[in-house]
């Protein structure tokens, strides 16, 4: 079993839809959870960074962490064609440990 | 966030040759890393580039195959040596800055080995 599991998609949604992207993990030591967005032929871009359980909101994006279920989510409201990209989850253990474990990424396509 | 550039952005190389990838950051950073991203797979950490000393390699990666230099706080190179088609991948530099705890990535180098 991989440490981090992420459905590769592709996920196609109509413009304006609410998108839910998810990752599950097996290591209970993970404390820091990140979401990156990667456009084709570009490097990953940090979207959200959360610590421990709970929600964090930034504009149209909400990151949710449920440590009891070892499950994290990224919600995108009012999705736009410009949101079409691959979304990678990443996680790490203690502060200062930058050895992130990444999911394989979910490819999202928002149709105009 | 730090601005990171990589050179070359892409290259096509012959089997048995070597390629050196450069990573330049616009500000001094605490840590620099090199990752590999193969199609359909997650990002895999190759090594941590240490300033003025030998890089710290992850399991499965060795210095002879992936020599790394980091002469100062803003620059690092990764060499992919004696390449084979299995080395075809995207190679990414990432940094953690003094100001932020988050990790930022460069645009990547797309390598194809024939």
């Amino acid at each position: 079993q991989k440490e981090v599991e992420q459905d590769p998609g592709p996920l196609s949604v109509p413009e304006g839809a609410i998108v839910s992207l998810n990752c599950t993990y097996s290591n209970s030591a993970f404390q820091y959870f990140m979401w990156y967005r990667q456009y084709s032929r570009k490097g990953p871009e940090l979207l959200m960074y959360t610590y421990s359980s709970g929600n964090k909101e930034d504009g149209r994006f909400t990151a949710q962490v449920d440590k009891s279920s070892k499950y994290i989510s990224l919600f995108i409201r009012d999705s736009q064609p410009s949101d079409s990209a691959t979304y990678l989850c990443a996680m790490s253990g203690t502060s200062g440990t930058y050895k992130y474990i990444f999911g394989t990424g979910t490819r999202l396509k928002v149709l105009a | 966030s730090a601005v990171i550039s990589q050179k070359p952005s892409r290259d096509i190389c012959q089997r048995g040759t070597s390629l050196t990838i450069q990573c330049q950051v616009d500000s001094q950073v605490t840590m620099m890393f090199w990752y590999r991203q193969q199609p359909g797979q997650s990002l895999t950490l190759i090594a941590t580039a240490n300033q003025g000393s030998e890089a710290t390699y992850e399991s499965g990666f060795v210095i002879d195959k992936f020599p790394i230099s980091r002469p100062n706080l803003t620059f690092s190179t990764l060499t992919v040596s004696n390449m084979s088609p299995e080395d075809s991948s995207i190679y990414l530099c990432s940094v953690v800055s003094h100001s932020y705890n988050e990790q930022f990535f460069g645009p990547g180098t797309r390598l194809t080995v024939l």
Side-chain angles (χ1 to χ4, degrees):
Chain A
Q1 181 190 9
K2 290 182 182 176
E3 274 194 290
V4 178
E5 299 273 5
Q6 186 176 9
D7 187 333
L11 177 63
S12 292
V13 301
E15 183 175 359
I18 296 175
V19 176
S20 173
L21 303 166
N22 311 296
C23 287
T24 58
Y25 63 95
S26 57
N27 189 343
S28 58
F30 289 143
Q31 300 267 27
Y32 297 85
F33 304 91
M34 285 68 64
W35 285 96
Y36 286 83
R37 177 176 62 195
Q38 187 173 23
Y39 291 114
S40 181
R41 301 181 187 278
K42 301 283 187 184
E45 169 196 9
L46 181 65
L47 271 180
M48 302 288 281
Y49 177 95
T50 54
Y51 169 71
S52 196
S53 284
N55 292 358
K56 183 175 182 179
E57 190 172 318
D58 184 359
R60 296 185 295 112
F61 299 91
T62 300
Q64 197 171 75
V65 175
D66 182 350
K67 289 190 71 181
S68 61
S69 303
K70 298 192 181 67
Y71 188 88
I72 68 170
S73 300
L74 178 71
F75 297 97
I76 307 174
R77 290 184 298 281
D78 187 25
S79 56
Q80 304 295 311
S82 58
D83 294 327
S84 299
T86 297
Y87 290 80
L88 299 144
C89 64
M91 36 200 90
S92 70
T94 55
S95 175
T97 299
Y98 298 105
K99 293 186 181 181
Y100 291 5
I101 307 298
F102 284 85
T104 53
T106 300
R107 207 151 49 96
L108 171 67
K109 187 162 187 176
V110 181
L111 306 171
Chain B
S1 64
V3 177
I4 307 165
S5 60
Q6 281 186 236
K7 282 196 246 184
S9 59
R10 53 171 42 200
D11 208 341
I12 300 173
C13 301
Q14 295 298 318
R15 180 195 298 262
T17 63
S18 298
L19 176 72
T20 295
I21 303 167
Q22 298 180 3
C23 177
Q24 179 74 54
V25 191
D26 69 340
S27 58
Q28 292 187 345
V29 292
T30 310
M31 305 180 81
M32 295 180 80
F33 304 93
W34 287 97
Y35 284 83
R36 183 171 70 183
Q37 186 177 30
Q38 294 180 308
Q41 296 188 26
S42 55
L43 274 76
T44 303
L45 180 62
I46 297 171
T48 303
N50 300 309
Q51 189 213 347
S53 65
E54 191 172 290
T56 304
Y57 289 85
E58 297 300 306
S59 176
F61 297 96
V62 295
I63 187 171
D64 289 346
K65 176 67 176 176
F66 298 101
I68 288 170
S69 78
R70 189 181 173 192
N72 56 51
L73 291 175
T74 63
F75 184 78
S76 178
T77 66
L78 167 74
T79 300
V80 186
S81 303
N82 188 25
M83 288 184 286
S84 67
E86 291 72 36
D87 294 320
S88 298
S89 187
I90 299 172
Y91 291 86
L92 293 149
C93 166
S94 75
V95 304
V96 175
S97 74
H98 287 299
S99 306
Y100 302 92
N101 286 324
E102 297 91 345
Q103 188 169 161
F104 300 98
F105 285 84
T109 296
R110 185 177 293 267
L111 171 62
T112 301
V113 184
L114 303 177

